[in-house]
């Protein structure tokens, strides 16, 4: 099934919109990595969200190859390249302990688990069933990643502060979910559409929470936050990272469109 065709103009438009929005989300951590480059240090930033984002994009590239879906391939191939650049910069400037941890994580997730999934589906599953199994794997992973914003929502409610949840990030992730849901539905691809229903619901929840607390006057002591967007797929990935305080490692929250990066 070749997606870019005049037979599916509305699906193509939705997919192109999803590509544009997801690409902007993938580029959101650029200031973080420019800071790492300038300071020659990764400071308290965590590599896990970027490893997960790369894994998500790799899964959707494989699904895109099986389904011959050009628009899934374009955004997720680009995401793979960009996330690889992020991780390369991280490995160059990380201290020994986080560098070793990141290399082990990449070996386990992006090489071991991904390679095993591709090998298993290639050797043990044939025909359309291979596409279905791969689709369910991608969709399940995307749903699990979409649930990540629950942590940041809890943090906003606890602190009564929306500084931990930028409105622009929540808005564009929601818009991306709408675009990819429309794309999946117009093509009849439920593996693309269904995860973005979850993404849309969490996006709307974040926007509602934002307006509930944006004018909150409660004065509370709040930790400093460095908020950045990073998906699945479908990656489609957005990231919110808290720097260390009093020696306590910061919690890291991954918000995915999933880049479809679903």
């Amino acid at each position: 099934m070749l997606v870019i065709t005049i037979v599916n103009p509305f699906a193509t438009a939705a997919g192109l919109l999803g590509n544009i929005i997801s690409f902007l989300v993938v580029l959101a951590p650029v200031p973080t990595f420019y800071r790492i480059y300038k300071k020659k240090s990764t400071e308290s930033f965590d590599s896990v969200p970027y490893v997960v984002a790369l894994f998500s994009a790799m899964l959707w590239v494989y699904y895109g190859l099986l389904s011959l879906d050009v628009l899934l391939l374009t955004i997720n191939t680009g995401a793979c390249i960009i996330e690889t650049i992020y991780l390369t910069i991280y490995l160059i400037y990380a201290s020994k302990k986080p560098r070793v941890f990141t290399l082990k994580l990449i070996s386990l997730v992006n090489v071991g688990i991904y390679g095993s999934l591709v090998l298993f589906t290639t050797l043990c599953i044939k025909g359309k069933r291979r596409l279905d199994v791969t689709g369910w794997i991608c969709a399940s992973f995307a749903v699990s990643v979409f649930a990540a914003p629950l942590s940041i929502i809890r943090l906003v409610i606890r602190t009564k502060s929306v500084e931990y949840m930028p409105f622009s990030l929540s808005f564009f992730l929601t818009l991306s979910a709408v675009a990819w849901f429309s794309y999946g539905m117009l093509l009849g691809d439920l593996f693309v559409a269904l995860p973005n229903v979850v993404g849309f619901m969490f996006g709307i929840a974040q926007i509602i929470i934002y307006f509930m607390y944006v004018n909150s006057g409660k004065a509370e002591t709040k930790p400093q936050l460095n908020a950045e967007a990073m998906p699945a797929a479908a990656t489609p990935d957005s990231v919110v990272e808290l720097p260390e305080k009093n020696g306590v490692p910061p919690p890291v929250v991954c918000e995915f469109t999933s880049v479809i990066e679903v």
Side-chain angles (χ1 to χ4, degrees):
M1 174 179 63
L2 185 59
V3 168
I4 298 183
T5 169
I6 59 174
V7 177
N8 296 299
F10 295 108
T12 299
L16 289 173
L17 179 62
N19 266 255
I20 293 169
I21 298 172
S22 296
F23 185 69
L24 293 175
V25 172
V26 172
L27 288 179
V30 167
T32 292
F33 285 92
Y34 180 72
R35 171 179 168 177
I36 289 173
Y37 167 74
K38 292 291 289 185
K39 292 193 173 185
K40 312 298 181 185
S41 170
T42 57
E43 300 176 292
S44 63
F45 291 109
D46 198 330
S47 63
V48 173
Y50 307 100
V51 174
V52 172
L54 178 58
F55 180 66
S56 175
M58 290 168 66
L59 283 177
W60 285 104
V61 165
Y62 181 49
Y63 178 79
L65 288 172
L66 292 178
S67 62
L68 300 179
D69 192 323
V70 176
L71 292 176
L72 284 185
L73 285 171
T74 53
I75 179 58
N76 287 289
T77 300
C80 284
I81 294 171
I82 295 171
E83 298 297 342
T84 299
I85 293 173
Y86 291 158
L87 287 170
T88 299
I89 295 173
Y90 187 92
L91 289 171
I92 290 173
Y93 295 110
S95 56
K96 182 178 179 180
K97 186 175 180 179
R99 181 187 297 122
V100 171
F101 171 78
T102 300
L103 287 171
K104 288 181 178 179
L105 191 61
I106 292 172
S107 299
L108 173 64
V109 176
N110 303 100
V111 178
I113 296 178
Y114 179 78
S116 299
L117 287 173
V118 172
L119 192 63
F120 172 75
T121 54
T122 300
L123 297 180
C124 302
I125 305 174
K126 304 298 180 183
K128 186 179 182 301
R129 193 180 173 204
R130 180 189 301 164
L131 178 64
D132 292 340
V133 170
T134 303
W136 279 117
I137 292 172
C138 291
S140 299
F141 184 75
V143 168
S144 67
V145 173
F146 271 131
L150 286 174
S151 298
I152 200 69
I153 289 174
R154 285 196 298 268
L155 184 61
V156 170
I157 294 173
R158 179 169 59 84
T159 61
K160 314 296 183 185
S161 171
V162 296
E163 70 172 303
Y164 309 114
M165 190 172 65
F167 176 78
S168 59
L169 174 58
S170 300
F171 175 76
F172 281 109
L173 291 177
T174 303
L175 190 60
S176 177
V178 171
W180 286 112
F181 170 77
S182 301
Y183 178 74
M185 290 301 294
L186 289 168
L187 287 178
D189 190 335
L190 295 181
F191 300 124
V192 173
L194 291 181
N196 284 287
V197 174
V198 179
F200 174 76
M201 290 190 296
F202 279 119
I204 292 297
Q206 289 180 79
I207 291 173
I208 292 173
I209 294 295
Y210 179 89
F211 283 110
M212 286 176 61
Y213 291 102
V214 66
N215 294 318
S216 176
K218 292 185 178 181
E220 294 189 18
T221 302
K222 296 171 285 194
Q224 296 296 314
L225 179 77
N226 188 333
E228 293 272 342
M230 177 182 82
T235 177
D237 306 249
S238 54
V239 181
V240 176
E241 298 174 329
L242 290 172
E244 292 185 15
K245 189 174 184 180
N246 298 328
V248 179
V252 177
V253 179
C254 304
E255 294 181 49
F256 267 62
T257 62
S258 165
V259 203
I260 297 191
E261 224 190 96
V262 355

